[in-house]
Amino acid sequence: MPPAQDGFQEEEALGKGYDARLMRRLLQYLRPYKWYVALAILILLVASFLQVVGPWLTLIALDDVIPNGNTSLLAALAAAYIASVVLGFFLLYAQTVLTTWLGQRVMYDLRTEIFGKLQRLDLRFYDKNPVGRLMTRITSDVETLNELFSSGVVAVFGDLFTLGFILSAMLYMDWRLALITFSVLPFVVLTAFLFRMKLRNAYRDIRVRLARINAYLHERITGMMVVKLFNREEHDARRHREINQDYLEAHLRSITYYALFFPVIELFTAIALALIIWRGGATLLEGTVTVGVLAAFIQLTQRFFRPIQDLSEKYNLLQSAMASSERIFMLIDREIEIVDPPDPVPLELPVRGEIEFQNVWFAYGKDEEGDWDWVLKDVSFRAEPGQRLAIVGHTGAGKTTIISLLMRFYQPQRGRILLDGKPIDRLRLDELREHIGLVLQDVFLFSQDVAHNIRLGAQNITEDQVRQAAERIGAAPFIERLPGGYNQELGERGATLSVGERQLVSFARALAFDPQVLVLDEATSSVDSEIEAQIEKATNELMAGRTSMVIAHRLSTILGADHIVVLHQGELCEEGTHQELLEHGGLYARLHELQFARTPV
Ligand code: DGT
Ligand code: MG
């Protein structure tokens, strides 16, 4: 797959023009609300028609009613004029509410769809797409579509209707005067075209620069401690000023175009009016045009250019919406590699917890020559039901990768992985993951309360079970010391707890879910000896009575293992019990010597 497709690439597509295929797909989102759309269009039709009612009433008043001296009818006409304006006001109100409502509904649906997709996407996708960029893209692209739906799609009809009505009224009243008005049209169209082009480039610059600022901000905020530690504030501030300045300039440029465009259109309107008064006045004197027609024309001309101006603005909106929707659809359409099999085999309950890796080869990606960059090479091992299996090896050996494959976060290129004798890619994903509990090296806690972090919203885990799990793990004492106890809100990522405490919470979480197979990626960070002892006890508690697979960094865990496999650069090089491996005198013996032998136990 080429990298441009792999990454959620954004900026290239921005210059895109109108694309009927994308538009059709976008309009699909309006389908559930089609009656509301129809109503909005109907309202616009009436509102557009009202645009010519006023001039028409003027015409009748001046040409028919006043010459005949019919004062009562004149009053009725005046009342009708006011009524048309008032009705226009209510229609505008109704239309604004309706279209904004529509826009918001569509956004709601889109956000739901995108989040659903994000949850199903392979983890591989997230390896390649930085969070900051993903966030900006999703929020700003959705926002662009919001504008399209709430002020674009439907309103375009309004502008077109208005133009149509005014054009027909003009031609009907007097085609020669109509032609005079149209004579400035080429200039207006040209201006609108130039405006659109300039603005498009300015918008592209704005978006590219905004993405850059956001990416920069995201990184600097996350890495604030490093920035401070190495006194990079001055340097980073300078860099920020630069990109901030770029962003400012792009905005200022777009403002210039706007500031010019509207007055220029006004100018053309004035020229058209002057022409009408000049030529129309002359024909009036010749007697070929009535006062009423001239007065109506002056009003119509004033209303004629506004929809053109609106349309050219909306064209820009349409263009950025095209680019945004393309990126959103790209995300929605992304193929997901790891899905439920079409004909899943059920696990036999209760799950025994037998795990087997058969000649598994796995690579995260390819190297420059296009060959797989193997992280695991022909790995085979087996954990019997109830056994404690330890995996040891240097950093980068591929230990965590083994776990990721077992959980089916990734798909191995070759070989099979079996749970209770069933290939895991034949099982339903939720069934597989339900029976395997995983405690990660880096604990992830959510910014919610402690109890929620243990239960993660699972309905079948009661308040009592949460407490029991915490007690058995030995997390209860410190949780109860928290001001809010189990209801204590944790900071973002559990920042208010220490590393050891966070680990205990994640242990309690795994225990509460009570899986048949437990997978533990032991943290490498050291904690004080008191917490260390607690974690050792908690580890034993967790592993009791189930098959467990532990990536062991702690000697006590290794010593407690029934079977140890040693991984070296993606290959399984030794296996056996602690005693056997020591006697063998290979890599394990060396690792043991390096890591543990000299540290007092
Ligand atoms: P540790 O946790 O430091 O003891 O190391 P292990 O044994 O858990 O290593 P592991 O499985 O995280 O990484 C094995 C190799 O795979 C290492 O060279 C880094 C690479 N690797 C790990 N995760 C990813 C990933 O998401 N994408 C890519 N492209 N490579 C990865
Ligand atoms: Mg690891």
Side-chain angles (χ1 to χ4, degrees), residues 86-303:
V86 172
L87 181 60
F89 166 84
F90 281 112
L91 289 179
L92 183 66
Y93 167 78
Q95 184 238 322
T96 310
V97 170
L98 196 56
T99 48
T100 318
W101 182 90
L102 267 175
Q104 292 306 330
R105 296 306 307 188
V106 173
M107 287 315 97
Y108 175 88
D109 295 346
L110 251 181
R111 282 194 301 263
T112 309
E113 187 174 353
I114 292 175
F115 186 67
K117 181 72 183 193
L118 287 176
Q119 287 201 307
R120 279 178 291 120
L121 273 170
D122 298 325
L123 283 176
R124 192 184 282 281
F125 174 80
Y126 294 99
D127 294 344
K128 293 196 176 101
N129 293 283
V131 185
R133 198 170 71 186
L134 216 49
M135 287 296 296
T136 341
R137 285 277 53 101
I138 293 167
T139 47
S140 79
D141 281 339
V142 170
E143 189 46 42
T144 309
L145 291 190
N146 176 25
E147 280 171 40
L148 176 74
F149 282 111
S150 53
S151 65
V153 176
V154 179
V156 165
F157 285 105
D159 290 329
L160 291 176
F161 291 151
T162 307
L163 266 184
F165 282 126
I166 292 182
L167 258 165
S168 329
M170 280 181 165
L171 287 171
Y172 180 77
M173 286 179 190
D174 191 304
W175 64 268
R176 286 162 306 177
L177 286 184
L179 287 187
I180 291 176
T181 311
F182 300 162
S183 69
V184 294
L185 208 51
F187 301 101
V188 173
V189 171
L190 183 69
T191 315
F193 178 76
L194 284 177
F195 167 71
R196 237 175 46 203
M197 219 167 56
K198 291 286 183 192
L199 204 61
R200 188 178 82 191
N201 294 337
Y203 271 153
R204 174 168 33 207
D205 287 353
I206 287 177
R207 289 178 154 256
V208 172
R209 288 162 199 203
L210 175 65
R212 207 186 297 158
I213 279 205
N214 282 343
Y216 190 77
L217 269 182
H218 183 264
E219 203 175 68
R220 295 304 126 152
I221 292 176
T222 334
M224 192 50 87
M225 202 192 274
V226 181
V227 173
K228 284 185 188 294
L229 192 58
F230 291 91
N231 291 322
R232 304 315 288 162
E233 290 100 332
E234 194 54 46
H235 172 270
D236 286 358
R238 222 177 307 127
R239 175 83 190 115
H240 184 261
R241 262 198 301 280
E242 277 166 28
I243 51 181
N244 199 7
Q245 180 76 27
D246 278 356
Y247 183 49
L248 174 73
E249 277 163 16
H251 260 299
L252 290 183
R253 214 147 21 98
S254 84
I255 292 168
T256 315
Y257 297 138
Y258 265 105
L260 270 174
F261 181 58
F262 293 106
V264 168
I265 296 290
E266 282 295 310
L267 189 67
F268 285 126
T269 314
I271 291 173
L273 276 176
L275 286 174
I276 290 285
I277 293 170
W278 176 42
R279 290 316 305 159
T283 40
L284 180 70
L285 295 179
E286 288 160 16
T288 42
V289 160
T290 62
V291 184
V293 169
L294 190 59
F297 250 87
I298 290 174
Q299 288 185 34
L300 287 174
T301 305
Q302 280 170 331
R303 297 170 188 207

Side-chain angles (χ1 to χ4, degrees), residues 394-401 403 441 521-522 524 551 553:
H394 284 299
T395 178
K399 305 181 296 292
T400 304
T401 306
I403 292 182
Q441 232 167 350
D521 200 348
E522 275 190 341
T524 36
I551 294 178
H553 292 293

